[in-house]
Structure formats: structure tokens, C-alpha cells
Amino acid sequence: MAGRADSTVLAGARVVLPTGTVEDGRVIVEGTRIAGSTPEGARTVDLSGHWLVPGFVDVHNHGGGGASFATGTAEDVLTGVRTHRRHGTTTVVASTVTGEMDFLARQAGLLSELVEQGELAGIHFEGPFISPCRKGAHSEGLLRDPDPAEVRKLLDAARGTAKMVTLATELPGGIESVRLLAEHGVIAAVGHTDATYEQTVEAIEAGATVATHLFNAMPPLGHRAPGPIAALLEDERVTVELINDGTHLHPAALELAYHHAGADRVALITDAMDAAGADDGFYELGPLAVEVKDGVARLVEGGSIAGSTLTLDTAFRRAVTVDRIPVEDVVRSISANPARLLGLYDRVGSLEPGKDADLVVLDADFALKGVMRRGAWIVGPHLD
């Protein structure tokens, strides 16, 4: 059943809409869009016993299928994009990793062409403007302070396609860089940071609106020195990224974030590296060697967690079945919220007439059974 579904009625599923779940609902697809009425000659696909949810939106993703967004060719990037699409991510932002400034600028040029072609939703620069104290899987020798002139160099190289820059805002030039990003309509994200609570509040007041993989690569929450976590969780202007793979976060930390921030301020991400959707083995994350064993990626030298091998269908299923988060809240976190964050909610992120026909079919146990992007089936639907 692969290929374009020019006029199709997807009927009988539990359809998750912005207003809630509709039992025995239906979604009408005409061409590349969701339609408000049934066109003549439309065929019906019976999705009884399944869930129908919007396509997933990933704002933090470094690659997959053995290919890297950070260092790969255009064809490598497309390999990674297609890998994640098969797992339900119909909208993906390509994330870089720390590298030489000239290399990052060249890679931004390559990625920007794929944004212009509609394959990517934008570019996220993670590094080099991060703290050596919280560098994670970034090369310390290539880190630098967030000089606004250098931040501007990357924005220029991205030719208007930069969506987000992760910064350790406590470093020299950090607050000025946040203001620069806000002025250019680019998300300033606090991450890989050693900031205090007070410094983080200052960054939010300057215009920072995202917490890059909250809890990871930042000081832990303390009762006397609450650090960035408390500041990021408490401010309603901030969206918090969470990596729900069972490795990066204890379930209690995930529950804390949902309870304190609320489902409308959570964005589930993968932070995926090359090995997402691929086998265990040896990989590279930027200039650093990574070993993936039992699906967990760690630096060969030092053993730090090096991104994830997560795909968003797994994050969705885990959120519902392990973490017991309501399906409607998971849909907000994995589709609607990241779409709003990117300024794309008029096109993607929910199942509403006029939007792109991007959707995911899940069975009763939340296993992926079908993926449609812009009206074309990428996977299935495989119906039992």
C-alpha cells in the first residue's frame, strides 16, 4: 500500500485531535493535505483497533541509519532523514556537533540546501558555544565562548534556515548571543551549561526559550544551589527537551518534568546519532569515536553518553506504556509542541484540515504500523 493516497478516508481508528481523542474517528486525505470533507471517489482504509496520531516532530537529531547530519554528505543526511521517517518522524531538524567554525559553516550551507528542498525543517547548532565543564560528547579542544560575531557567522552560513542554537549562556558573550538570536528569530537554547540558577534566569529574561535535553549536561538539582534545572522548569516561557530512552533519564525525572512544566512545555526528542535505526558497533560523533553496545552510545574515550540511538516511535511507546503519560499529552510533546516551537504549527503537528497529511498509525500496543508524509505512505499501513 505504499505510494500516494490521492483521496483516502482513514476510518475507524482512535484519532488524537487537539481537542482530545475521538473513538471510531476518521481523517480525510486529499493529495498532500488533510481535507475537511470527503472527495468523490475516495477509498477507505479501515484502521479499526488502531491509533491515528500526527507525524512526529524532532527538534534535536544528529543522524541515523549509519549516517550523520553533523559531518555527512547530502546523501548521508537523506539516509538519516529517511531512517527517522520510517519511525514516524515526518519533520526533523538536523543538529550539528562541535567542530571547527569553518567546517560548521560549510556543513550549514549543505544542510540549508536540504531545508530549502523540504527534506529538513531547519538546523540546530549544538556547540561549539558550550561549557567545557559540561561538554558531554563534544571535543573540548574545539569549544569556544559564544562570541556574538561567531554566532552570527553560523546564522549567515545557514542562510535563514537556522532554527536553534544551544549555548552555555554563562560564558562570556552568552547573554549578548541570546539577544542576537532572539532578534533574528532563532531559538536560544540553554544547554551543556554549568550556569547557576541566577545566571539561567538572566538568560531566560534575555530571550532563551528552550532547555536542551533537560537534566543532561547540566548541574543536578540542588536544594541550596538549584542550578539551571529549577529555573528552566519554573518559567512558562521555556520548552524543555527530554530524551525518553530509559538511559538518559530515570522515569522519576521524566515525571518531575511533566508534573512541573506540564505537557504543553515538553518536547520529546531523540538526540539521535548515526546508530539510530542501525546496529551496535563503532561510530563517530563529529571528531569523537563512539561505541554502541546494547543500543547505548558512549564515547570510546571517557565513556560519556554520546547522544542516543532512539527513534521517536520508541519514545512514544515508552512514554505511554512505561511512564503512563496520557496519549494526548504524549502527542502534544512529540508533535504539537515542537511544531509550535519551530513556527510550523500551521502546517504540521496536529490532524486538522488544511495541514500536511503527516500521520502515524499505531496498534493497540502502540507499535508503529504505518507512516504517511504529505499524503504518501512511507510505511504500510501494516494492519492485523
Side-chain angles (χ1 to χ4, degrees):
M1 300 181 89
R4 177 74 63 200
D6 284 320
S7 297
T8 304
V9 179
L10 305 174
R14 302 178 79 179
V15 180
V16 181
L17 301 175
T19 52
T21 298
V22 176
E23 303 286 343
D24 193 20
R26 66 178 192 164
V27 172
I28 303 158
V29 176
E30 186 171 13
T32 64
R33 304 272 181 174
I34 297 172
S37 59
T38 307
E40 247 182 80
R43 70 190 187 102
T44 298
V45 176
D46 185 4
L47 297 180
S48 298
H50 292 75
W51 291 85
L52 194 58
V53 301
F56 308 144
V57 180
D58 194 355
V59 299
H60 189 155
N61 187 318
H62 299 279
S68 170
F69 297 155
T71 58
T73 64
E75 190 52 47
D76 291 334
V77 175
L78 289 173
T79 295
V81 168
R82 291 166 185 150
T83 298
H84 285 282
R85 284 179 186 166
R86 290 193 294 271
H87 290 274
T89 300
T90 50
T91 302
V92 62
V93 170
S95 300
T96 63
V97 294
T98 294
E100 296 282 0
M101 286 294 293
D102 287 345
F103 177 82
L104 289 173
R106 288 195 300 273
Q107 192 67 8
L110 180 152
L111 294 171
S112 68
E113 292 181 10
L114 294 172
V115 176
E116 291 159 3
Q117 294 167 21
E119 302 290 349
L120 294 169
I123 303 171
H124 162 219
F125 294 103
E126 187 181 21
F129 311 116
I130 61 176
S131 172
C133 302
R134 304 287 175 176
K135 64 183 185 298
H138 291 255
S139 178
E140 184 168 353
L142 296 173
L143 301 182
R144 56 185 64 217
D145 292 337
D147 180 346
E150 294 202 314
V151 174
R152 181 62 188 265
K153 178 181 178 179
L154 293 185
L155 298 189
D156 290 344
R159 304 199 305 261
T161 65
K163 289 289 187 178
M164 183 161 65
V165 178
T166 291
L167 307 162
T169 55
E170 75 278 9
L171 295 176
I175 296 300
E176 293 82 2
S177 293
V178 169
R179 293 195 181 106
L180 171 73
L181 292 168
E183 287 168 6
H184 285 80
V186 178
I187 298 162
V190 178
H192 288 276
T193 177
D194 204 40
T196 64
Y197 173 87
E198 291 77 14
Q199 288 170 327
T200 307
V201 169
E202 183 183 9
I204 296 168
E205 290 300 328
T209 56
V210 165
T212 294
H213 43 55
L214 186 74
F215 299 108
N216 298 115
M218 59 183 64
L221 186 65
H223 63 291
R224 291 194 182 93
I229 293 171
L232 294 163
L233 277 176
E234 72 184 9
D235 198 298
E236 294 184 355
R237 294 168 290 185
V238 176
T239 298
V240 298
E241 296 180 349
L242 299 175
I243 309 170
N244 191 28
D245 61 353
T247 298
H248 280 79
L249 295 176
H250 189 282
L254 187 89
E255 182 182 3
L256 173 68
Y258 266 96
H259 176 78
H260 203 77
D264 287 334
R265 287 180 45 218
V266 171
L268 293 178
I269 62 163
T270 60
D271 193 19
M273 46 80 72
D274 308 16
D279 297 327
D280 284 0
F282 290 91
Y283 296 84
E284 291 182 349
L285 186 60
L288 302 178
V290 175
E291 182 180 10
V292 177
K293 187 175 181 181
D294 298 327
V296 178
R298 294 186 180 275
L299 292 183
V300 171
E301 186 175 336
S304 291
I305 295 176
S308 83
T309 62
L310 185 64
T311 53
L312 281 182
D313 58 329
T314 299
F316 191 113
R317 189 177 190 183
R318 179 180 175 84
V320 175
T321 62
V322 176
D323 303 304
R324 303 298 178 185
I325 298 169
V327 175
E328 296 82 2
D329 288 349
V330 179
V331 168
R332 289 188 189 97
S333 303
I334 213 164
S335 299
N337 299 346
R340 285 196 185 94
L341 197 60
L342 297 173
L344 299 176
Y345 192 65
D346 60 329
R347 284 181 36 217
V348 300
S350 66
L351 300 177
E352 296 178 273
K355 293 193 175 186
D356 290 349
D358 292 358
L359 52 88
V360 176
V361 181
L362 305 167
D363 69 13
D365 296 318
F366 300 98
L368 185 143
K369 293 296 181 179
V371 180
M372 176 184 285
R373 181 175 185 268
R374 297 181 184 171
W377 289 109
I378 295 171
V379 176
H382 305 295
L383 307 178
D384 300 327

